[in-house]
Amino acid sequence: MPTPTYDDIVALDAAHVMQTYGRAPVAFVRGEGTVLYDADGKRYLDFLSGLAVTSLGHAHPAVADALAEQARTLLHVSNLYYNALQPQVAATLDRLLGGDGRVFFANSGAEANECAIKLARRHGQANGGAERYHVLSAYGSFHGRTLTTLAATGQPQKQETFQPLPTGFRQVAFADVDALAAAMDERVCAVMLEPVQGEGGVQPAPPGYLEAVRALCDEREALLIMDEVQTGLGRTGAWFGFQHSGARPDVVTMAKALGNGVPIGACWARADVAAAFKPGDHATTFGGQPLAAAAALATLTVMEAEAVPTRAAAAGQRLCAALAAVPGIVDVRGAGLLIAAELAPGIEARPVADECLARGLVLNAVTPTALRLAPPLLVTDDEIAEAVALLAAVLADPTITGGGVQ
Ligand SMILES: Cc1ncc(COP(=O)(O)O)c(C=O)c1O
């Protein structure tokens, strides 16, 4: 079958796909490592990785081989039966998280968080009575788009359209321990946080914050849930973002990078917390099925062999240093290879991101004034140099920056 043209793809999409996304004018059809190709054969450097998903790059041969072999062997069996791969993935994740935990597999970040919230309610009500089901999270957070994870997401403008949302969710200011302490009454079963707020603008938790939250959770008998959907699996320069701090959460969720592009999410919990779930309490048809688990096992195997957290930390330092030297960028923040470049006053991020795309660099405007860069963790120095040079050229173009950069 011939590859459809860009115009064919857009027309078919408009006629048949729910129009919930404000899409950029490009249709990618192929990728290899850090490089993507569009329907016209044009080459792009992918410094977004499908929003921190393809951490090993596109079409990684080890993942592709594992998928092809699994597809020919056994695609799916119900969770009513054992499958050989799921516990192997769970054992690897448990080891990377420090051990003594159990894992539930889901299909996405929102579903991993949904599991964490249900588990926290079950645990809270078992230990603190029927009223202990409230979850506290932070303004600026993002935890998903299901009704429950939207209720946990600290972005009122996203919530407004879908009221009424499930009850039992409240938000406090991010990085403000006093605000959290004031909100933490005996109804609270869990505090849910991202170690770096990703969608909220790449905002790292300040030093000492997670440790203070941990102490507060211990004192008030609430669980600490760490949403590592975007930060997990090497992205920040550690296996998990919380590992930069001295705080150990009770529950950790992840998704994006786990299957290097194959949808799979996971919720890990300390064994005694996980025991609050009884058989029948939670389930999903596809979660941890053989194909997704094969992708995750291959992804984790390559990630460990390549020591991706160390590579992400080193490449992140080089990328941050290069970005900081670009005229038009006034601040660079983040951790590892989850980075935001804050633009000089007066420069809007959206037209800059659009022009980068037009010139062959994929990144996104994570706030109206900041660009997000999240390249594959195996990104090379040459690719970093090429991307930064392209971005610098865009920022030097007065037709894009509205008057030029001082
Ligand atoms: C921190 C965080 N949690 C949850 C989600 C939701 O994940 P998904 O889109 O896979 O449902 C995201 C997605 O961006 C995220 O960044």
Side-chain angles (χ1 to χ4, degrees):
M1 213 172 71
T3 311
T5 66
Y6 172 74
D7 289 342
D8 293 341
I9 295 167
V10 172
L12 207 60
D13 188 284
H16 301 290
V17 176
M18 287 192 198
Q19 298 295 297
T20 63
Y21 300 102
R23 296 192 205 272
V26 60
F28 295 116
V29 295
R30 191 163 65 82
E32 191 181 345
T34 308
V35 174
L36 278 169
Y37 296 92
D38 72 12
D40 299 323
K42 182 176 159 185
R43 173 183 176 274
Y44 299 77
L45 271 182
D46 183 2
F47 268 52
L48 199 56
S49 308
L51 292 171
V53 168
T54 48
S55 281
L56 299 178
H58 297 284
H60 192 286
V63 181
D65 287 350
L67 280 168
E69 193 183 326
Q70 192 60 43
R72 285 194 204 92
T73 307
L74 183 69
L75 272 180
H76 181 83
V77 283
S78 161
N79 277 315
L80 293 175
Y81 312 98
Y82 291 99
N83 86 58
L85 296 152
Q86 197 181 119
Q88 294 182 56
V89 181
T92 306
L93 293 176
D94 191 40
R95 176 163 48 76
L96 298 178
L97 281 157
D100 195 28
R102 300 286 185 274
V103 180
F104 179 89
F105 288 99
N107 312 291
S108 66
E111 284 176 75
N113 284 339
E114 189 87 19
C115 172
I117 292 164
K118 283 178 75 175
L119 179 64
R121 284 189 169 198
R122 197 83 165 84
H123 182 265
Q125 291 180 322
N127 292 289
E131 292 305 309
R132 186 172 291 175
Y133 65 89
H134 287 231
V135 173
L136 296 180
S137 54
Y139 283 113
S141 64
F142 186 82
H143 298 298
R145 297 284 200 150
T146 63
L147 286 174
T148 301
T149 55
L150 186 59
T153 290
Q155 301 191 38
Q157 75 284 7
K158 287 193 169 66
Q159 296 177 334
E160 267 159 27
T161 330
F162 293 99
Q163 298 292 354
L165 290 170
T167 54
F169 293 89
R170 282 177 285 150
Q171 279 85 49
V172 296
F174 184 53
D176 185 337
V177 184
D178 294 338
L180 190 67
M184 210 133 149
D185 54 35
E186 65 289 344
R187 296 172 302 166
V188 174
C189 67
V191 175
M192 187 168 190
L193 294 171
E194 298 156 84
V196 180
Q197 288 193 336
E199 299 309 298
V202 187
Q203 304 288 354
Y209 176 59
L210 296 181
E211 290 87 343
V213 176
R214 173 74 271 177
L216 207 54
C217 286
D218 289 343
E219 185 192 307
R220 312 274 169 99
E221 294 180 16
L223 298 179
L224 176 55
I225 302 172
M226 204 59 66
D227 179 344
E228 297 261 8
V229 167
Q230 186 156 160
T231 49
L233 300 163
R235 173 61 52 192
T236 68
W239 281 110
F240 292 91
F242 76 83
Q243 290 168 338
H244 295 288
S245 77
R248 190 168 191 238
D250 306 294
V251 180
V252 178
T253 59
M254 70 200 83
K256 290 178 181 284
L258 183 53
N260 204 47
V262 173
I264 178 167
C267 173
W268 173 96
R270 237 176 47 214
D272 61 305
V273 173
F277 267 163
K278 304 295 175 221
D281 275 351
H282 198 47
T284 166
T285 298
F286 289 119
Q289 50 99 280
L291 188 74
L297 202 54
T299 301
L300 291 169
T301 302
V302 177
M303 284 183 160
E304 290 204 270
E306 297 277 0
V308 288
T310 311
R311 289 184 64 148
Q317 278 185 3
R318 289 193 287 274
L319 179 54
C320 285
L323 289 168
V326 172
I329 294 176
V330 292
D331 183 41
V332 181
R333 60 175 181 267
L337 283 172
L338 181 58
I339 295 169
E342 193 69 38
L343 302 177
I347 305 180
E348 287 174 36
R350 189 62 195 268
V352 173
D354 290 349
E355 183 63 14
C356 284
L357 185 67
R359 297 189 193 191
L361 174 63
V362 183
L363 38 67
N364 86 326
V366 72
T367 71
T369 59
L371 301 168
R372 170 172 41 186
L373 295 93
L377 307 183
L378 306 181
V379 66
T380 66
D381 285 352
D382 285 351
E383 288 163 345
I384 288 177
E386 186 184 342
V388 174
L390 196 151
L391 173 57
V394 171
L395 287 170
D397 183 340
T399 64
I400 306 302
T401 58
V405 169
Q406 281 79 47

